[in-house]
Amino acid sequence: MALSDDDKQEAVTEIFALYQSRGHADYIGEPVSQLEHMWQAAALAEAAGADDEVVLAAFFHDLGHLCAVDAELPSMDGFGAIDHEKLGADYLRARGFSARVVRLVESHVQAKRYLTYKYPSYRQQLSAASQATLAFQGGVMSAAEAAAFEQDPDKEQILQLRQWDEQAKETHQLVGSLAHLQALALRHLRGQAPSAA
């Protein structure tokens, strides 16, 4: 069923209301809030010249943590919800975001698992919280999993998103206006072809 323009506006309003009501919470063991972290990731993507879908995926990549309050998912020992990447991806998919945005959001944890397999020293570069959550997220990839990941046509973009994820933890950076990202999200939804029922 095709979403009406009112549905699309309502979806964007709902998503950004989550950031306003829950985004100022602690980012689970990191020195920034949820909103600061995701805004910084989007800003890094924009500074790198990424396209709109990638910028939105950077901003939405940890949206599942904001949704998890309602989902009552088990916690990773206080470091956020287990499977937050899937929860966020499902949330965005249900609201009409493109398969690419959804896939990038869903894949950012796989990128961490891959990088810890491919480059063992990468694990030491992770924050303490990110290291703690790795075990809940499947741990370091196996050789077979890594070989499959390397065949993914979006591999480089997924890894780039992960790099921004790790960099987006700077303290004392003011969050800019969300109006630009809100407009970007609405424009994106308006540009999606209706799905076949």
Side-chain angles (χ1 to χ4, degrees):
M1 184 179 78
L3 294 175
S4 71
D5 194 64
D6 284 348
D7 291 336
K8 293 172 183 179
Q9 291 185 50
E10 185 177 330
V12 171
T13 299
E14 177 187 292
I15 292 168
F16 281 78
L18 284 176
Y19 282 90
Q20 291 166 352
S21 65
R22 300 174 183 171
H24 298 286
D26 171 54
Y27 175 47
I28 313 156
E30 302 290 1
V32 290
S33 71
Q34 298 272 5
L35 176 58
E36 288 169 331
H37 171 63
M38 289 185 269
W39 185 85
Q40 287 179 28
L44 287 165
E46 283 198 310
D51 64 50
D52 290 354
E53 288 183 312
V54 174
V55 171
L56 287 171
F59 184 64
F60 292 145
H61 77 275
D62 275 343
L63 179 64
H65 286 309
L66 303 183
C67 303
V69 175
D70 299 325
E72 298 181 4
L73 293 175
S75 165
M76 296 181 285
D77 278 354
F79 289 107
I82 291 176
D83 293 333
H84 75 280
E85 70 282 11
K86 292 180 179 61
L87 181 62
D90 288 344
Y91 183 93
L92 293 168
R93 185 181 295 111
R95 283 151 185 82
F97 284 83
S98 72
R100 185 171 179 235
V101 169
V102 168
R103 185 162 156 55
L104 288 171
V105 168
E106 196 163 29
S107 300
H108 75 279
V109 167
Q110 293 303 309
K112 177 169 77 168
R113 296 186 59 227
Y114 171 77
L115 288 167
T116 53
Y117 165 82
K118 187 75 174 176
Y119 309 103
S121 62
Y122 175 79
R123 187 172 190 159
Q124 302 313 312
Q125 298 169 29
L126 296 172
S127 67
S130 197
Q131 288 186 44
T133 57
L134 180 62
F136 291 96
Q137 295 165 336
V140 176
M141 274 188 176
S142 67
E145 288 174 317
F149 180 84
E150 287 169 350
Q151 299 306 309
D152 191 316
D154 292 323
K155 178 186 87 163
E156 295 306 320
Q157 196 61 73
I158 293 167
L159 294 176
Q160 179 62 71
L161 181 61
R162 184 72 211 180
Q163 185 177 13
W164 294 325
D165 184 3
E166 292 301 330
Q167 293 170 344
K169 298 172 184 176
E170 295 295 320
T171 56
H172 311 299
Q173 282 197 16
L174 293 177
V175 173
S177 169
L178 297 184
H180 163 64
L181 291 167
Q182 195 163 355
L184 196 68
L186 184 56
R187 186 168 73 231
H188 170 81
L189 285 182
R190 284 174 169 162
Q192 297 310 298
S195 58

